[in-house]
Amino acid sequence: MAFDYKKEYKEFYLPKRKPGLVTIPSMNFIAVRGKGDPNEEGGAYKQSIGLLYGIAFTIKMSKMGDHRIEGYFDFVVPPLEGLWWQEGVKGIDYSRKEDFEWISMIRLPEFVTKEEFDWAIREAEEKKKSDFSQVEFFTYEEGLCIQCMHIGSYDGEPATIEIMDTFARDQGVEPDLDGGRFHHEIYLSDVRRCKTENLKTVIRHPVRKQNGGVE
């Protein structure tokens, strides 16, 4: 049976609808950076998703070809994730989607080294006759965070974030959305097949401790 990160690491991918603290270790990702409204039809964000899945499935299906990746195990491609920020804004202003800067990403299995990632880029470019030069091998360690499951529209996220911020204050911590730490979303639903009111999105915010806060 294929290894499913969502099931094996429920603490990272299937949090409750009430906020909780979690420490996120270093992970490697396939990533594409960009700017602009993610809802723009044919825009940079939607193009990035195609690039990410192109590499993810090249790695997954390597078992069918001649190339053998050391330590390979079959896996379910992990969910799409995104880091989001806006210049000069602490947190996220949902009314200014055109100002978004983002890193769109998919987690890599542990057996994928930088060398194997580079092979996957070359393989995808040759087979798909497309340019994958925007895709990068990205390592990210979030550390201490608050996360919560959000159900419903992405535009309804501020209400969930307000609950998270209240929880943070009660725990003696505060959001730390600067210095390379970002608003983080993990998309557990296929927006093409799921009703808006049923969309499941993990919202994760890095936090820092205050005096007397959680250890």
Side-chain angles (χ1 to χ4, degrees), residues 29-41:
F29 297 86
I30 312 163
V32 176
R33 300 171 187 261
K35 299 180 180 181
D37 188 341
N39 298 319
E40 181 185 354
E41 199 61 42

Side-chain angles (χ1 to χ4, degrees), residues 5-209:
Y5 282 88
K6 297 190 303 299
K7 294 179 180 179
E8 299 297 332
Y9 294 98
K10 293 180 180 179
E11 67 272 30
F12 300 150
Y13 298 101
L14 297 172
K16 297 178 180 180
R17 296 185 65 176
K18 294 182 179 180
L21 285 163
V22 62
T23 300
I24 310 297
S26 178
M27 301 178 190
N28 294 327
F29 297 86
I30 312 163
V32 176
R33 300 171 187 261
K35 299 180 180 181
D37 188 341
N39 298 319
E40 181 185 354
E41 199 61 42
Y45 179 74
K46 293 188 176 180
Q47 291 179 26
S48 76
I49 295 174
L51 294 173
L52 293 176
Y53 279 106
I55 301 302
F57 278 101
T58 295
I59 294 168
K60 176 177 172 61
M61 300 310 295
S62 65
K63 62 183 179 180
M64 305 299 290
D66 296 330
H67 186 80
R68 293 290 180 265
I69 300 177
E70 184 176 355
Y72 177 93
F73 54 82
D74 194 17
F75 63 98
V76 176
V77 173
L80 179 70
E81 308 186 33
L83 304 177
W84 301 86
W85 69 97
Q86 293 157 317
E87 191 69 33
V89 176
K90 188 170 184 178
I92 293 292
D93 183 347
Y94 287 80
S95 68
R96 293 170 45 191
K97 293 184 175 69
E98 68 278 4
D99 295 333
F100 273 135
E101 298 188 47
W102 41 262
I103 302 175
S104 187
M105 57 195 196
I106 294 175
R107 182 176 180 173
L108 282 168
E110 290 75 10
F111 61 78
V112 181
T113 62
K114 177 60 165 59
E115 290 72 24
E116 295 295 356
F117 170 85
D118 290 341
W119 166 83
I121 295 290
R122 296 192 301 270
E123 181 77 359
E125 288 185 331
E126 180 179 341
K127 288 194 171 181
K128 300 178 183 298
K129 308 302 180 186
S130 297
D131 180 10
F132 285 85
S133 60
Q134 295 181 61
V135 186
E136 63 180 273
F137 184 90
F138 177 61
T139 301
Y140 189 52
E141 183 174 359
E142 284 181 285
L144 184 64
C145 296
I146 284 178
Q147 66 179 13
C148 186
M149 182 71 76
H150 171 76
I151 307 294
S153 167
Y154 303 130
D155 288 336
E157 289 181 4
T160 298
I161 291 171
E162 185 175 346
I163 294 171
M164 292 169 63
D165 288 346
T166 299
F167 176 81
R169 289 193 294 271
D170 291 344
Q171 296 296 310
V173 297
E174 61 183 4
D176 186 19
L177 294 168
D178 50 33
R181 306 182 82 198
F182 308 106
H183 172 90
H184 187 169
E185 298 182 0
I186 304 174
Y187 308 105
L188 302 180
S189 304
D190 186 338
V191 71
R192 300 167 299 177
R193 298 181 174 89
C194 184
K195 292 182 179 180
T196 300
E197 61 268 26
N198 296 329
L199 290 171
K200 292 183 178 181
T201 307
V202 179
I203 300 177
R204 184 183 294 160
H205 278 179
V207 294
R208 56 176 170 243
K209 301 174 183 178

